[in-house]
Amino acid sequence: MKLPIFLDNHSTTPMDPRVLETMLPYFVEKFGNAASRNHAFGWAAEEAVENARKQIAKLIKADPKEIVFTSGATESDNLAIKGALEMYGEKGNHIITSATEHRAVLDTVKVLEGKGKATATYLPVDKCGMVSPEDVRNAITEKTILISVMMANNEIGTINPIKEIGKIAKEKGILFHCDATQGVGKIPVDVQDMGIDLMSFTSHKMYGPKGVGALYVRKKNPRVRIVAQIDGGGHERGMRSGTLPVPLIVGFGKACELCEQEMTKETARLIAMRDRLEASIMKALEESYLNGHPTNRLPGNLNISFAYVEGESLLMGMKDIALSSGSACTSATLEPSYVLRALGVGTELAHSSIRFGLGRFNTDDEIDYTIKKVVEIVTKLREMSPLYEMAKEGVDLKSVQWAAH
Amino acid sequence: MAYSDKVVDHFNNPRNMGSFKKDEEGVGTGMVGAPECGDVMKLQIKVQNDMIVDAKFKTFGCGSAIASSSLATEWLKGKTIEEAQKIKNTDIVQELNLPPVKIHCSVLAEDAIKAALADYQKKADGTPTAAK
């Protein structure tokens, strides 16, 4: 076993060596511009791009023509939301989204609100982190033109009832955008069955290269149109100009193909490892609380709050394991995780959360090592914690008058 | 964020971690911070003849908060009450090489020292203690 261990697979994933192999010829040998229509270099590049488009479309049950390449999921979210608002702005300007969306969606919507271009409803989630389809229905107004709800949450892994939301959107004739960054490649996605009109996803979360992503744009029932946010040569059917990064796209395609072929096996393996990690930690450490949905969540996700210890110190005590925390100290904003807060997790428990993100290349040995380390460090830090001491003495921490600072 | 070697050392080998009985003679207890802010420090001193003969801490917080309070106990031992009053958060920042986002950890440590001293004084003056 090699240290450090990477258990942060929601942030990014290592590239699969098989993906790299397929990319390599497209740097030096087959370097053509896919938009060059008049020579062999261009044709080779175009063929490679179209092949990747097919591989990607197959994974999400779309038509290859419905795939628009972007630089990643953040750009896809921006393009979907701003592009749809600009195209359908005459019909209305109301957007429905949820409180636990990724910042790429929330900030995009907030910027549009700030400029007076849109009004928005941010739906709450239940204590497991799920959006209620009925809440979506009730939030719809005459002015609503877009519903944007994520497929699976990046912190707690909770999977939303996308199909039900898609059905409501269709019934009301409102476009449905889904940020599926964490979902595609991990769980089965079918844009037809789920009634998705626009869907953002990215390569580097599924063992492909960084720097490339896609926006699925439905072509029929209904034909969705969006206004380009980057103007230029009119690539990607006019929706996203810019020379295509052929090697990245080839890698993205291969990554999708591998996910499609191996998903069933990989999911079973990840769930077994994740459940073992969860059960062992919970058994060894009292007052550890699972954040998110107990069953309906991403196979590789485990998010736990360890009462009485602070997240950043936990990470510091496990330097040879790459993890992330919802603690304020680990965020740029100095606020604890807004996702956990939206679930109703108390601020003090949000500070105490650790996200384990398991992926394709994690092994049982690594999980054993992680269990041992987590139990060790939580025990050590609880011994050091005045809160743990007080709780053991029977003091109700909620009744204490703290001097907030 | 990369931590300084000194922060890592205090975090891995905390000095004087533990508790005194709050009602023990000569003990002053300071507890500052709040769980919802992500850090709570408890700092205790044991005083004999105006001299701090022992100190202990327990901290809920990030590595820098733990290191700041650990360092504070090290510095307190052997100091008189008057000398202890002079420990400044900036001294802690300098010693531990804390980055700007972690300065509040040192402020909290200074507050904890002041609170422990005040608690001791109150007890010594015979007035009822405010120890929580």
Side-chain angles (χ1 to χ4, degrees), chain A residues 54-192:
Chain A
K54 276 186 205 144
Q55 291 168 315
I56 295 161
K58 197 173 168 211
L59 178 64
I60 62 166
K61 309 274 192 294
D63 186 284
K65 291 195 184 75
E66 296 176 314
I67 303 297
V68 172
F69 287 113
T70 66
S71 61
T74 293
E75 187 192 330
S76 298
D77 286 335
N78 271 267
L79 175 57
I81 297 167
K82 291 174 181 166
L85 183 73
E86 217 172 300
M87 180 61 78
Y88 300 100
E90 279 179 17
K91 282 167 78 179
N93 65 350
H94 180 236
I95 299 171
I96 296 169
T97 186
S98 86
T100 56
E101 294 297 309
H102 191 271
R103 294 273 306 274
V105 168
L106 286 180
D107 283 15
T108 300
V109 173
K110 287 207 170 114
V111 163
L112 292 170
E113 267 188 307
K115 288 180 175 168
K117 291 181 178 171
T119 60
T121 300
Y122 301 89
L123 298 175
V125 292
D126 67 15
K127 63 181 185 354
C128 297
M130 270 222 245
V131 173
S132 145
E134 276 317 296
D135 284 352
V136 174
R137 185 190 293 279
N138 294 335
I140 294 171
T141 72
E142 282 178 359
K143 291 270 181 197
T144 307
I145 54 147
L146 184 71
I147 296 166
S148 182
V149 174
M150 74 197 325
M151 186 166 289
N153 185 269
N154 48 306
E155 289 189 33
I156 50 171
T158 298
I159 300 166
N160 271 319
I162 294 303
K163 190 176 169 177
E164 287 73 13
I165 296 170
K167 218 172 139 189
I168 293 167
K170 185 128 294 184
E171 200 185 296
K172 300 280 183 182
I174 296 165
L175 289 183
F176 178 29
H177 167 247
C178 180
D179 175 357
T181 307
Q182 298 288 345
V184 174
K186 313 290 168 57
I187 54 173
V189 174
D190 182 334
V191 289
Q192 306 307 333

Side-chain angles (χ1 to χ4, degrees), chain A residues 308-310 312-314 316-317 319 329 334 336 347-348 351-352 377 380-387 389-390 393 400-405, chain B residues 1 3 7-8 11-14 17 19 31-42 57-63 66 102 104 108 132:
Chain A
Y308 316 119
V309 292
E310 194 274 333
E312 190 192 324
S313 63
L314 280 172
M316 195 173 163
K319 272 210 150 6
C329 288
L334 291 177
T347 319
E348 64 277 18
H351 280 294
S352 303
I377 190 69
K380 180 184 166 184
L381 290 174
R382 279 184 177 172
E383 280 308 307
M384 217 187 277
S385 166
L387 304 179
E389 185 181 66
M390 291 164 82
E393 286 167 357
V400 177
Q401 279 288 100
W402 299 101
H405 56 286
Chain B
M1 183 189 312
Y3 301 95
V7 169
V8 173
F11 178 77
N12 289 331
N13 312 291
M17 197 272 286
S19 299
M31 176 116 75
V32 295
E36 52 275 21
C37 304
D39 31 31
V40 175
M41 267 180 208
K42 187 183 81 167
F57 84 94
K58 282 206 175 193
T59 291
F60 159 83
C62 67
I66 289 170
K102 295 295 182 189
H104 76 275
L108 208 58
K132 286 177 272 194

Side-chain angles (χ1 to χ4, degrees), chain A residues 23 48 83 113 150 229 256 285 301 325 348 350 391-392 404-405:
Chain A
M23 290 168 67
E113 267 188 307
M150 74 197 325
Q229 301 298 307
C256 285
L285 296 167
N301 177 275
S325 166
E348 64 277 18
K392 286 277 129 184
H405 56 286

Side-chain angles (χ1 to χ4, degrees), chain A residues 7-10 153-158 270-282 288-294 297-306 323-325 340 353-359 367 370-371 374:
Chain A
L7 271 186
D8 200 14
N9 283 280
H10 300 303
N153 185 269
N154 48 306
E155 289 189 33
I156 50 171
T158 298
L270 285 176
I271 289 181
M273 280 201 296
R274 191 267 317 268
D275 287 354
R276 191 163 68 83
L277 178 63
E278 178 181 340
S280 307
I281 290 175
M282 294 299 199
S288 304
Y289 304 100
L290 178 78
N291 296 312
H293 200 285
R297 67 179 198 273
L298 292 171
N301 177 275
L302 178 62
N303 190 314
I304 301 181
S305 286
F306 299 96
L323 294 161
S324 96
S325 166
L340 296 181
S353 72
I354 296 287
R355 178 184 71 179
F356 302 87
L358 284 67
I367 299 303
T370 304
I371 293 166
V374 169

